[in-house]
Amino acid sequence: MEAAKKIDRAALKKMAKGQLKGNWGWAVCLTLVSAVILGVLNGWPAFFMDSGDNSINNVAVVLDVFGGILGGLITAGIIYTYLKFVDRKEKANVFSGVFAGFTKGRFIPTFLTTFLTALFAALWTLLLIIPGIIKYYSYAMAPYILKDLLDAGKEPAPTEAISKSKELMNGHKWELFVLELSFIGFNRPSEPFDHSFSRVSPMGQVQLA
């Protein structure tokens, strides 16, 4: 079997800087708008937590799950927008870009892939944190693969992008982990479902695209 090709981090960073040259204003606006929305979605359940009232705490749990789903869809939309920018040199309207996961027939496949990715990784995390982190990186390319499948006019099965991501990331999980450490505002690997700044940062997304 052919050895997995190593990720050239220096070349990726150079490429990303070149593609973002003259486009930083758009990229920063896209990042700021999405980061504010994701911050609100992550933060609003805290207003209901630890109230001492079980019914209010239950509302907080529901809001947390709902916010996580919306956050996943928005993060996927940002990925789609950066892929379009890298592949076609097209800059979407900032708000259209943020909500790209909700439009053009993408909502159902994006929702299913996002939900199942989080579910599978969470179930692995329940066993031990390390397997959960490993699976997070195994599934990391699922939204990128899903976008390619949808652009090709295919109707992917709910787990198709996840399965292809596992194959693609075989031998590359550690490299992606190291690459993500260089992103501005990177995720803490112990919190793989925290929709943080790294998931929408210009340098991070252009390199991953």
Side-chain angles (χ1 to χ4, degrees):
M1 182 179 293
E2 184 179 352
K5 185 178 179 180
K6 296 293 183 182
I7 295 174
D8 188 338
R9 294 191 296 276
L12 283 175
K13 289 180 182 179
K14 183 177 180 180
M15 176 274 295
K17 289 179 181 178
Q19 291 188 317
L20 286 168
K21 186 177 181 180
N23 298 298
W24 276 104
W26 169 79
V28 168
C29 287
L30 185 66
T31 297
L32 288 177
V33 170
S34 58
V36 168
I37 295 173
L38 292 174
V40 171
L41 292 174
N42 285 334
W44 66 353
F47 290 104
F48 300 92
M49 290 290 191
D50 301 323
S51 66
D53 187 324
N54 287 335
S55 61
I56 294 179
N57 287 337
N58 290 336
V59 169
V61 171
V62 172
L63 289 176
D64 194 33
V65 172
F66 181 68
I69 292 172
L70 286 181
L73 287 166
I74 289 171
T75 302
I78 297 300
I79 290 172
Y80 297 165
T81 300
Y82 274 112
L83 282 170
K84 183 178 181 181
F85 168 68
V86 171
D87 294 341
R88 306 178 190 172
K89 311 302 180 186
E90 296 179 16
K91 294 187 291 186
N93 172 276
V94 169
F95 289 98
S96 297
V98 170
F99 295 103
F102 295 82
T103 59
K104 298 182 179 179
R106 300 186 187 122
F107 176 77
I108 296 299
T110 300
F111 167 77
L112 290 174
T113 299
T114 300
F115 175 76
L116 290 174
T117 298
L119 177 62
F120 294 159
L123 291 174
W124 278 101
T125 305
L126 288 177
L127 298 176
L128 284 172
I129 185 65
I130 298 300
I133 295 173
I134 291 172
K135 289 301 178 181
Y136 163 70
Y137 284 101
S138 291
Y139 306 149
M141 293 296 106
Y144 302 87
I145 294 169
L146 179 64
K147 171 69 161 50
D148 288 341
L149 293 172
L150 293 172
D151 285 350
K154 298 180 179 179
E155 297 183 4
T159 60
E160 184 173 352
I162 297 172
S163 297
K164 290 181 180 294
S165 178
K166 289 167 62 179
E167 295 175 9
L168 182 65
M169 291 307 296
N170 186 29
H172 292 296
K173 291 183 281 293
W174 174 253
E175 291 177 88
L176 179 58
F177 172 79
V178 174
L179 180 65
E180 284 200 337
L181 292 180
S182 67
F183 296 171
I184 299 173
F186 62 88
N187 284 37
R188 286 165 290 181
S190 61
E191 299 180 13
F193 314 117
D194 175 18
H195 300 288
S196 67
F197 186 69
S198 71
R199 297 284 79 191
V200 295
S201 66
M203 281 294 289
Q205 280 304 327
V206 172
Q207 288 181 70
L208 289 174

